[in-house]
Amino acid sequence: MSYTPTQTTPFGIVYKLKSRFWGLTNATLFRWSFFFMRKYRVAILKLFGAKIDWSCSIDRTATVIDPWNLSMGRMSSIGEYACIRCRGKISIGKNCCIGRDVYLLSASHDISSPTFDMISAPISIEDNVWIAPRSTIGKGVTIGEGAVIAAEANVIKDVEPWTVVGGNPAKPIKKRVILD
């Protein structure tokens, strides 16, 4: 058996050019904006096809790969140095907090392929979710409404609504209860 990992993306030239143009925009106009220019950053993402509510907040240090595959509901935020890799669709509901240094990875490589072909699956984050700093959410995962992902968790399976998970791999810790 020969081992020949792929050293390029499976995308066509138009997709690659669009992605490179976005990467340049993300590294300059987006990144160089002042911290208070929230709507400016939302406008730039919208120009590249993201479906984001105007009330959202994306930190200027966040990296979004392929924003045309991103949607965000009202009052959601993406924190400092987060990396949102939208090779597949990523949907973030309303009132969600994506913390500092969080990774959302909607694609990976097929480990049973000798060329490590890219595979993708959508990530769905439902309403009222908090993903704490340095967590990673893998491809194909759905995070249920009201769930909390503890700091540094590695989520590779769906999370039930109103559940707190943590660890590597993430496991349920307790049910989330809202006290009035």
Side-chain angles (χ1 to χ4, degrees):
M1 176 185 290
S2 78
Y3 173 72
T4 54
T6 303
Q7 297 298 314
T8 187
T9 62
F11 305 111
I13 188 70
V14 172
Y15 190 99
K16 287 179 180 179
L17 287 172
K18 184 178 175 183
S19 190
R20 294 294 184 248
F21 183 59
W22 163 251
L24 178 64
T25 304
N26 191 191
T28 56
L29 299 175
F30 189 91
R31 181 81 27 114
W32 295 343
S33 63
F34 292 106
F35 71 91
F36 57 83
M37 298 175 72
R38 178 180 53 81
K39 288 194 183 208
Y40 167 80
R41 288 187 292 278
V42 169
I44 290 175
L45 287 165
K46 282 177 168 280
L47 279 173
F48 279 86
K51 294 169 185 68
I52 299 177
D53 190 86
W54 285 104
S55 64
C56 290
S57 177
I58 297 92
D59 191 86
R60 65 190 185 91
T61 61
T63 300
V64 179
I65 308 296
D66 299 349
W68 44 90
N69 287 326
L70 175 65
S71 66
M72 288 178 72
R74 65 177 179 75
M75 300 302 291
S76 288
S77 65
I78 296 175
E80 301 94 337
Y81 305 104
C83 183
I84 315 302
R85 298 186 63 89
C86 305
R87 293 292 189 200
K89 300 279 185 195
I90 294 181
S91 172
I92 300 170
K94 62 184 179 186
N95 302 315
C96 292
C97 179
I98 310 301
R100 180 185 179 103
D101 294 313
V102 166
Y103 278 78
L104 302 181
L105 308 172
S106 63
S108 185
H109 295 278
D110 183 353
I111 61 171
S112 53
S113 164
T115 57
F116 281 147
D117 296 334
M118 190 186 90
I119 52 176
S120 66
I123 293 174
S124 178
I125 300 169
E126 296 178 0
D127 298 343
N128 307 306
V129 169
W130 174 33
I131 301 178
R134 300 190 61 165
S135 296
T136 300
I137 312 299
K139 67 177 178 46
V141 169
T142 296
I143 310 251
E145 180 181 2
V148 174
I149 310 304
E152 299 190 2
N154 187 10
V155 182
I156 56 175
K157 292 183 179 176
D158 291 352
V159 176
E160 293 292 319
W162 301 100
T163 303
V164 179
V165 300
N168 183 7
K171 296 190 181 330
I173 297 171
K174 67 179 191 172
K175 281 301 205 182
R176 181 177 174 205
V177 178
I178 305 296
L179 303 173
D180 289 329

